[in-house]
Amino acid sequence: AEGGGGQGGGGCIVASGVAEEADALGALRLRGFWAANLEPVWSLGSELARSLAALGMFTQAAGMFSEMRLWDEYIQTLVQLGKRSEAERVVRERLDAAPTPEMWCYLGDFTEETRHYSTAWELSAGSCARAKLALGAAAMRRQAWEEARSELRCALGVKAHLAEAWYCCAACALKLGGKEEEALADLRRVVAIDPEHYQAWATLGGLFGQLRQPREALCAFREACRLRGEKHELWKSSAALAADLSMYSEAIFRGRRALETGGAPDPVLAAVLADAVVKDTRAADMTGARRLLPQLRTLL
């Protein structure tokens, strides 16, 4: 009995030692926990939910957004699911609980009442660009161009990197008339922010043409053609400009591309080029135009 008791006591001592060693190792590991750079569970959860939404799994994503109280993403996901009434209910609940400029903007989206965007702008103390963008878009739909331009400029005062807003400002200036220089400045902003904005390049080309700056207009249309080579209207406009600048070889090339992309024959361009070839007019590169007769035949 005494032997059995001794063995039992020894087992307790061993077990106690193992437990103490485990505690010591645990404490050591805890000291390095903050150096492990582990993301918190809500960060991982939100990333997973956004990934699900990007894959089109909106139902699963909506449940996770709701659990984590990511209201913006939750509302957007409900809209994607076609549950606009439920999304509006969530928006109104959030406005009752804790009104924010974003929620007022959502309410404006659902009700199409512009006063909600005005409330959002006031609540944000002039920092909610989305509210002014929505007001500007509403004014453009009413064709209130001066008001639209003013609203958009307010939004750009908050977020100056919005290329589409600058483009809309330019469009409003052109609609108002007499503000070509302002429109030109706005369009230059667009292509500086987004060099791939082909509509801005095309509009720049047309505007430079109106201002009798054909070289600048041709440069702009070249960029537009590079970006959207399937648009025969761009090729046709640039061909006419090249012909006016005595760049006959380029005019023939661009005229041919206009035909290849589905454009109708341009008798005016053909007449100008034919006249230059017949008279052997000196081109911009100081060569005679008669050498372009074989190329011109492909266009005619």
Side-chain angles (χ1 to χ4, degrees), residues 77-99:
T77 307
L78 289 175
V79 172
Q80 290 289 340
L81 289 168
K83 300 180 178 179
R84 290 182 63 88
S85 58
E86 184 176 347
E88 183 177 348
R89 178 186 59 78
V90 173
V91 168
R92 292 185 182 278
E93 288 177 356
R94 296 311 308 157
L95 286 173
D96 290 338

Side-chain angles (χ1 to χ4, degrees), residues 14-42:
V14 171
S16 176
V18 170
E20 291 176 0
E21 184 178 357
D23 290 343
L25 289 172
L28 183 62
R29 287 196 297 270
L30 283 174
R31 280 202 293 269
F33 173 79
W34 300 110
N37 196 28
L38 294 174
E39 293 190 27
V41 65
W42 56 85

